[in-house]
Amino acid sequence: MELTKFGHACVRLEKEGRRLVIDPGGLTDPRVLEGADAVLVTHEHFDHFSEEALRRAAAARPGLRIWTNSSVAKRLDGLGAQVVVTGEGDAFGAAGFGITVHGAWHAVIHPDVPRIPNVGFLVDGTVFHPGDALTVPGTPVGTLLLPVHAPWSTVGDLIDYLREVAPRDAYAVHDGALNDIGTAMVEGFLGERGPGVPARYRCLAAGMSVRID
């Protein structure tokens, strides 16, 4: 399959002419949804979920299906069968991609900040998008979409997470608030100059694509 990085936490996966989009939020060019056959949304935060963009895409493509948790589904009320509620432990097919769901909650930001539901998606048994959590799926992961900058994590957390999941490749997501200096700092710790992780770490520019085997 082909993976294309879009703004912040959003990626598009393509194979055999089908398109699956994950987390098209408010920091993502809404054109990512053009031609999409299916959408996965991890949680309700604006940088992962744009109600306006999804409603517009659903109206333009009646065959579009959106899989997400119950909180996001409530925000998309009125779209009927185009929205499917899913949760931890589920497995389903979306536009020809095999999906399993892992995790249930957003990472803790602070004890005084209420947690919200968050689900991670493993696509075709190889590409894992955890949303806003450092969920360990408990099954081998070939390619990890790593949230590299958030108010709930540190670089130390990322190193430990990569060591535990042990993917072959890790691509940066959730990096929309990083400037070039911040991006280089993170890469210095997660790349070859860092203390050591099992993955080949890369930061993709917006619009850049890679092949996933």
Side-chain angles (χ1 to χ4, degrees), residues 2-8 10-12 14 27-29 31-32 172 175 202-210:
E2 183 178 73
L3 181 151
T4 303
K5 170 72 180 296
F6 284 84
H8 192 54
C10 181
V11 299
R12 183 178 68 201
E14 298 181 75
L27 302 179
T28 302
D29 186 336
R31 288 178 295 183
V32 67
D175 54 359
R202 291 179 63 187
C203 181
L204 301 177
M208 184 179 293
S209 300
V210 293

Side-chain angles (χ1 to χ4, degrees), residues 41 49-52 54-55 66 68 71-80 83:
V41 179
F49 165 60
S50 170
E51 178 181 347
E52 178 183 357
L54 284 175
R55 286 188 179 277
I66 303 163
T68 187
S71 294
V72 175
K74 289 178 182 178
R75 300 269 298 274
L76 295 172
D77 183 54
L79 294 185
V83 178

Side-chain angles (χ1 to χ4, degrees), residues 144 146 157-167 170 190 197-199:
L144 177 65
L146 181 67
D157 293 331
L158 300 179
I159 293 170
D160 290 342
Y161 183 52
L162 280 171
R163 289 176 175 177
E164 188 169 4
V165 177
L190 301 183
V197 295

